[in-house]
Amino acid sequence: MREGRPGDDDLRRGARIVEAYLRYNHVSISELPRVVEIVYSTIASLSLATPKAKSPRPSVSLKDVTREGIACFECGRRVQLLKRHIRDHHNLTAEEYRRRWGLSVLYPMVTPQLSAVRSAVAKKAILERLSDDLHLNSEGDIVTEKAGA
Ligand SMILES: [Zn+2]
């Protein structure tokens, strides 16, 4: 669609509106161009106004978060740790970044792969801590250090 000219969708929409108008209103042949002009200029002004009212937020899709990394909207690089990247390269906190790009608070700051590794490491650490505190008695029951002491 060229700037200032109606696209195919606008032409079809305009034709339907003019057709509907003519069905219920008596318009002489000399008035017809004026009706068409009003309808099309109104549609054109509405279609041109809509796309310009865009937010700075890009369209966020699953492609933004892949195994290779999360796309940084500031510079376009793919990184594993977005939080560290935006802090070091763009001087932004995760909260500032999400607000700036209109992202949900759930928008990930690490890749799913790295998140899974971190989760596994955290679970292992918890299990190790628990196993240090828990002991099995001769019957095989779990007893805490305090109860056993
Ligand atoms: Zn960046």
Side-chain angles (χ1 to χ4, degrees), residues 72 74-76 85 90:
C72 169
E74 297 289 327
C75 67
H85 171 80
H90 308 294

Short mmCIF file of all heavy atoms in Angstrom, two decimals, residues 72 74-76 85 90, ligand 1:
data_model
loop_
_atom_site.label_atom_id
_atom_site.label_comp_id
_atom_site.label_asym_id
_atom_site.label_seq_id
_atom_site.Cartn_x
_atom_site.Cartn_y
_atom_site.Cartn_z
N CYS A 72 17.54 -9.98 22.81
CA CYS A 72 17.53 -8.71 23.53
C CYS A 72 16.88 -7.67 22.61
O CYS A 72 17.34 -7.48 21.49
CB CYS A 72 18.95 -8.29 23.89
SG CYS A 72 19.05 -6.60 24.50
N GLU A 74 16.86 -4.54 22.95
CA GLU A 74 17.65 -3.32 22.88
C GLU A 74 18.67 -3.37 21.74
O GLU A 74 18.87 -2.39 21.05
CB GLU A 74 18.39 -3.08 24.21
CG GLU A 74 17.48 -2.86 25.41
CD GLU A 74 16.78 -1.51 25.38
OE1 GLU A 74 17.35 -0.53 24.88
OE2 GLU A 74 15.63 -1.46 25.86
N CYS A 75 19.34 -4.53 21.58
CA CYS A 75 20.41 -4.61 20.58
C CYS A 75 20.26 -5.78 19.62
O CYS A 75 21.01 -5.87 18.64
CB CYS A 75 21.76 -4.68 21.28
SG CYS A 75 22.02 -6.22 22.19
N GLY A 76 19.32 -6.70 19.88
CA GLY A 76 19.09 -7.81 18.96
C GLY A 76 19.95 -9.04 19.19
O GLY A 76 19.77 -10.05 18.53
N HIS A 85 22.90 -9.47 30.85
CA HIS A 85 23.20 -8.74 29.62
C HIS A 85 22.63 -7.31 29.66
O HIS A 85 23.33 -6.34 29.36
CB HIS A 85 22.65 -9.49 28.41
CG HIS A 85 22.71 -8.71 27.14
ND1 HIS A 85 23.86 -8.59 26.39
CD2 HIS A 85 21.76 -7.97 26.50
CE1 HIS A 85 23.61 -7.82 25.34
NE2 HIS A 85 22.34 -7.43 25.39
N HIS A 90 23.16 -2.43 28.83
CA HIS A 90 22.15 -1.38 28.64
C HIS A 90 21.78 -0.66 29.93
O HIS A 90 20.90 0.20 29.93
CB HIS A 90 20.89 -1.99 28.00
CG HIS A 90 21.19 -2.78 26.76
ND1 HIS A 90 21.66 -2.20 25.60
CD2 HIS A 90 21.11 -4.12 26.51
CE1 HIS A 90 21.85 -3.14 24.69
NE2 HIS A 90 21.54 -4.31 25.21
ZN ZN B 1 21.27 -6.07 24.27
#
